[in-house]
Amino acid sequence: MLDFFRNHQRLMMFMLILVILPGLGFVGIQGFRGFFDESANVASVNGHNITRVEYDDAMRQQLDRARQVLGAQFDMKTFDTPEHRREILDGMIEQRVLADETQRLHLTASDDAVRRTLMADPVISSLKNPDGSIDIERYKQLLAMQGMTPDQYDERVRYTLAMQQLPASIQGSAFTSKTLAQHLTELALQQREVQGIAFHPRDYAAQVQPTDAQLQAYYDAHRNDFSTQATATIQYVVMSPATLSDSVQPSDADLKKYYDDNLAHFRTEGEVRASHILIAAPKDASAADKAKAKQKAEEVLAQVKAHPDQFAQIAQQNSQDPGSASKGGDLGYFGRGMIAGGQAFDDAVFALKKDEISGIVQTDFGFHIVKVTDVKPTVTRSFDEVKDQITKELKAQLAAKAFTDNSEGFTSLVYEKAKSLQPAADKYKLQVQTATVTPQPDPKLPPDSPLNNPKFLEAVFANDSVSAHNNTQAVDVGGNTLISARVTDYKPAAVPAFDAVKDAVRQKVIAAQSDEAAHKDGLAKLAEFERSKTTTGFSSPLKVSRNDSQGVPPAALSAIYKVDGQKLPAYVGVDLGDDGYAIYRVNQVVPGTAIDPHTLAASQQQVAQVDAQTQAEAFIKALRERSKVKFYGSVDTAPQTADQ
């Protein structure tokens, strides 16, 4: 039942409007203006430009995600619409106004919040060493692949957390009454007893015998439906740090220098395992309370010194640290700065040897007595141990530098030597590869394949490429990757002759006429049933609900629940598109089962989440309305992001 609220958020929001927000008017949203001016920006928010490049990147990233998720089911036409492009830009504008408000309110995230977020990331968590510490070198390598340093990534996480605070605070305060939740749950659980009869086009196909004239007429009216895509056989070269890595090889001297310069990176700092007894005395406690706590600590210390082998038992009896007292005061392994006691605590602990017990150590939390139970010394891995790791990292750095140094030269060379890619391949030690492409991305290729990049495909099928067989420009497909191609063979899109596709035309005509016959028969039967009120020809009765359709198509289920429950039995006809036509007889409304408290509580929470989302969206909308948003044109056409 709870799935109903997740899958019908529009209905939930509508009900909330009816019950909670009566009387509110609806206002339009400002549309987009006509044509782009000469600037490189698509919009600006409070003076901050959203550039065409940023917009193209956002569009491209969403297309890549869609290709990855949908695979062979990906259809560019679904995304290549003015509405979808406007949604992308709207989302970027909303992010910008939220960022401005976050900055205006001076919101940020603490170091501890950033650390917790990083450690909760499964990718970063996978970099843990056996002792629980993070492999810093692998972490740096991971970020370097994304063009970031640890400090830069920390700030990105901090920025994201700060941005989330305003929407999270709104959503966290959402509340829905139990009465509303019960009403919506009752609607979701309500059943309707129905009987159905279907008119499938396949049942009429044998009756359809189209003439040659009808086939010819259909072909003439739908010629483009039978056209073949243009194809281009290409040679291409890709320049990226990855393709340049084989051409760079650091010397042993370079590797040793890197090791010496970054010795701290290969050092695992020492750790101790310690137990402590805390006699609490917060820094804001009175002098008398602190004196009393110190006296207690001295008494416990005397007891510990008299019986050092009973430290754990004494800690269980006396320590006021709720996190460690039950474990005999055990704090586990830790390094400097990992325990909240501060410098004084670290200095005392790391001065002790194994099995030594400290005197009284005062921190902002009170008075501690510490026993070190194990010591892990600082360990520095030798050059030979890390040589392969350094080689890999240095090669990546040198390849990235080589890409930066040579990208301009590569771009110029493929332009100057326009009739061949071999000069560029020879100079930069790149491989000339071959492929056959179409103007549309190939869903069989990986989502990040440069051959699927819309700008690259646009360059391949440009007139200069297909007619003059000149190299394309060096196209930047993102991710520090340039690609240039040369068309060696081109086959334009073509419409086959009628005789070549006559069988395919016949199948389409039969399908169209069968569908028309099914709909015509269904409409006639609906009129007949409404007069006779008969059940003849219908299926056995079944009970459907919004959560359990019993196989009834979504369009039919929607029509069934639009029938007035006070005027039954009733008949409703449903156009099922290519599946034909169906008629349903709604016999009665069946109330749902009793709602148990657990289900009601869960429903109340989910409806509150829908309400919270609505309020958050309203907040963002209000921010946008008070912001200075300027559009430089329309994104209804976007050749940089839409496949041509």
Side-chain angles (χ1 to χ4, degrees):
M1 190 282 298
L2 300 180
D3 286 341
F4 174 78
F5 295 111
R6 284 191 289 268
N7 298 330
H8 297 81
Q9 290 194 10
R10 288 187 180 276
L11 173 62
M12 294 299 97
M13 292 167 65
F14 177 68
M15 292 299 298
L16 288 166
I17 290 171
L18 290 180
V19 179
I20 300 174
L21 305 174
L24 290 185
F26 294 89
V27 296
I29 300 176
Q30 179 183 356
F32 285 80
R33 299 175 186 171
F35 299 92
F36 278 107
D37 62 13
E38 295 180 353
S39 76
N41 305 316
V42 294
S44 67
V45 181
N46 297 327
H48 301 285
N49 289 328
I50 298 176
T51 67
R52 166 62 71 173
V53 172
E54 291 171 337
Y55 172 79
D56 287 350
D57 286 343
M59 183 71 172
R60 189 176 301 114
Q61 289 173 16
Q62 187 170 100
L63 292 178
D64 288 345
R65 287 194 296 269
R67 288 192 188 97
Q68 187 172 13
V69 172
L70 298 176
Q73 303 299 318
F74 176 80
D75 183 0
M76 186 64 197
K77 294 179 182 178
T78 304
F79 299 89
D80 188 15
T81 64
E83 294 78 14
H84 183 71
R85 287 190 285 272
R86 285 196 294 270
E87 287 176 4
I88 296 290
L89 183 55
D90 276 339
M92 298 180 73
I93 290 171
E94 290 171 0
Q95 286 295 307
R96 184 66 257 177
V97 299
L98 182 59
D100 286 352
E101 184 68 5
T102 300
Q103 185 175 6
R104 187 183 71 82
L105 296 175
H106 305 291
L107 299 180
T108 187
S110 67
D111 291 342
D112 188 52
V114 172
R115 183 186 62 80
R116 289 198 307 270
T117 301
L118 292 175
M119 296 306 297
D121 187 321
V123 176
I124 296 176
S125 182
S126 69
L127 303 179
K128 284 185 177 179
N129 294 314
D131 62 1
S133 62
I134 295 295
D135 188 327
I136 298 299
E137 292 310 311
R138 290 173 61 201
Y139 179 53
K140 289 182 177 179
Q141 290 173 9
L142 177 68
L143 294 180
M145 293 171 63
Q146 309 298 322
M148 287 184 291
T149 66
D151 287 343
Q152 289 172 332
Y153 188 60
D154 284 356
E155 289 310 306
R156 174 177 290 190
V157 172
R158 192 186 310 278
Y159 176 77
T160 301
L161 291 175
M163 287 267 288
Q164 293 171 350
Q165 290 181 35
L166 286 172
S169 64
I170 295 171
Q171 295 179 5
S173 63
F175 173 78
T176 297
S177 70
K178 187 177 294 185
T179 301
L180 174 61
Q182 180 160 351
H183 180 56
L184 292 174
T185 305
E186 288 171 350
L187 287 176
L189 293 175
Q190 182 194 89
Q191 295 179 313
R192 295 201 167 192
E193 183 187 274
V194 299
Q195 295 172 269
I197 183 172
F199 302 86
H200 297 295
R202 62 176 179 269
D203 297 331
Y204 296 82
Q207 305 170 21
V208 177
Q209 299 294 330
T211 65
D212 285 349
Q214 289 175 318
L215 297 181
Q216 182 69 55
Y218 186 91
Y219 171 80
D220 292 340
H222 302 86
R223 292 172 61 90
N224 290 337
D225 292 349
F226 303 97
S227 65
T228 59
Q229 283 198 89
T231 61
T233 301
I234 61 172
Q235 295 177 330
Y236 69 97
V237 290
V238 177
M239 174 182 273
S240 68
T243 61
L244 293 171
S245 63
D246 290 340
S247 63
V248 294
Q249 185 62 47
S251 66
D252 286 345
D254 292 333
L255 298 177
K256 188 62 169 64
K257 184 177 186 304
Y258 184 92
Y259 175 78
D260 293 337
D261 291 345
N262 298 275
L263 197 60
H265 295 169
F266 308 110
R267 179 186 301 123
T268 301
E269 297 296 337
E271 291 185 325
V272 299
R273 183 170 188 174
S275 299
H276 82 139
I277 299 169
L278 171 66
I279 306 302
K283 63 179 180 179
D284 56 353
S286 66
D289 286 342
K290 288 184 178 180
K292 184 177 179 181
K294 185 175 183 181
Q295 181 180 354
K296 171 68 174 175
E298 290 172 344
E299 293 171 359
V300 173
L301 177 60
Q303 186 180 358
V304 167
K305 288 184 174 180
H307 304 281
D309 58 327
Q310 297 179 14
F311 189 96
Q313 293 91 322
I314 297 172
Q316 289 178 335
Q317 296 168 4
N318 295 279
S319 180
Q320 295 170 343
D321 177 8
S324 67
S326 62
K327 297 181 290 186
D330 185 26
L331 297 170
Y333 286 98
F334 57 89
R336 285 185 175 273
M338 294 177 63
I339 297 295
Q343 186 71 34
F345 188 87
D346 280 352
D347 289 345
V349 172
F350 284 91
L352 298 174
K353 298 178 181 178
K354 183 179 179 181
D355 294 328
E356 282 189 338
I357 298 173
S358 72
I360 294 175
V361 181
Q362 184 175 2
T363 72
D364 290 343
F365 299 96
F367 300 94
H368 306 257
I369 301 165
V370 186
K371 179 180 180 179
V372 171
T373 56
D374 195 14
V375 175
K376 290 183 179 180
T378 297
V379 177
T380 302
R381 286 180 288 173
S382 69
F383 173 72
D384 289 338
E385 288 179 299
V386 297
K387 183 176 180 180
D388 290 344
Q389 174 186 331
I390 295 175
T391 300
K392 183 178 179 180
E393 184 166 332
L394 262 187
K395 284 187 70 172
Q397 293 180 5
L398 291 173
K401 184 177 186 303
F403 175 80
T404 301
D405 293 343
N406 295 318
S407 57
E408 185 175 347
F410 174 80
T411 299
S412 299
L413 189 55
V414 296
Y415 175 77
E416 293 166 359
K417 304 291 185 179
K419 294 300 182 181
S420 176
L421 294 170
Q422 200 61 49
D426 292 341
K427 180 173 182 178
Y428 299 107
K429 299 181 181 179
L430 304 173
Q431 180 183 358
V432 178
Q433 304 177 72
T434 61
T436 299
V437 297
T438 68
Q440 303 296 326
D442 184 353
K444 297 178 183 178
L445 292 175
D448 59 349
S449 170
L451 296 179
N452 271 352
N453 181 270
K455 288 200 296 186
F456 171 69
L457 293 175
E458 182 183 358
V460 167
F461 287 93
N463 183 64
D464 185 56
S465 301
V466 299
S467 299
H469 297 283
N470 288 328
N471 297 339
T472 69
Q473 63 187 22
V475 180
D476 184 350
V477 297
N480 287 337
T481 301
L482 296 173
I483 181 172
S484 178
R486 179 174 177 272
V487 177
T488 58
D489 186 46
Y490 172 71
K491 291 183 174 59
V495 178
F498 171 72
D499 289 340
V501 293
K502 186 174 181 180
D503 289 341
V505 175
R506 184 185 305 278
Q507 293 303 315
K508 286 188 173 292
V509 172
I510 290 175
Q513 293 186 1
S514 298
D515 185 67
E516 183 180 353
H519 281 73
K520 182 178 180 180
D521 200 4
L523 289 168
K525 286 290 186 181
L526 176 61
E528 179 183 329
F529 291 146
E530 288 177 335
R531 289 193 302 270
S532 65
K533 304 299 181 182
T534 182
T535 60
T536 303
F538 282 92
S539 65
S540 300
L542 71 157
K543 295 177 181 177
V544 301
S545 71
R546 291 182 173 92
N547 297 321
D548 185 4
S549 67
Q550 297 285 335
V552 173
L557 191 67
S558 176
I560 288 168
Y561 271 91
K562 289 179 181 178
V563 171
D564 188 345
Q566 304 299 318
K567 299 178 180 179
L568 300 179
Y571 297 83
V572 60
V574 184
D575 185 344
L576 300 179
D578 292 341
D579 291 328
Y581 194 83
I583 301 173
Y584 289 89
R585 188 179 195 269
V586 184
N587 297 328
Q588 61 175 325
V589 174
V590 183
T593 57
I595 306 172
D596 64 81
H598 176 75
T599 299
L600 181 59
S603 299
Q604 187 175 3
Q605 181 180 6
Q606 290 206 358
V607 176
Q609 290 174 352
V610 175
D611 181 35
Q613 182 64 31
T614 304
Q615 293 184 35
E617 291 173 357
F619 173 72
I620 298 296
K621 181 181 178 182
L623 288 181
R624 176 170 173 167
E625 289 176 346
R626 77 185 193 201
S627 300
K628 296 179 180 179
V629 179
K630 179 180 179 181
F631 297 98
Y632 293 100
S634 171
V635 291
D636 286 356
T637 56
Q640 291 89 337
T641 57
D643 299 280
Q644 300 300 315

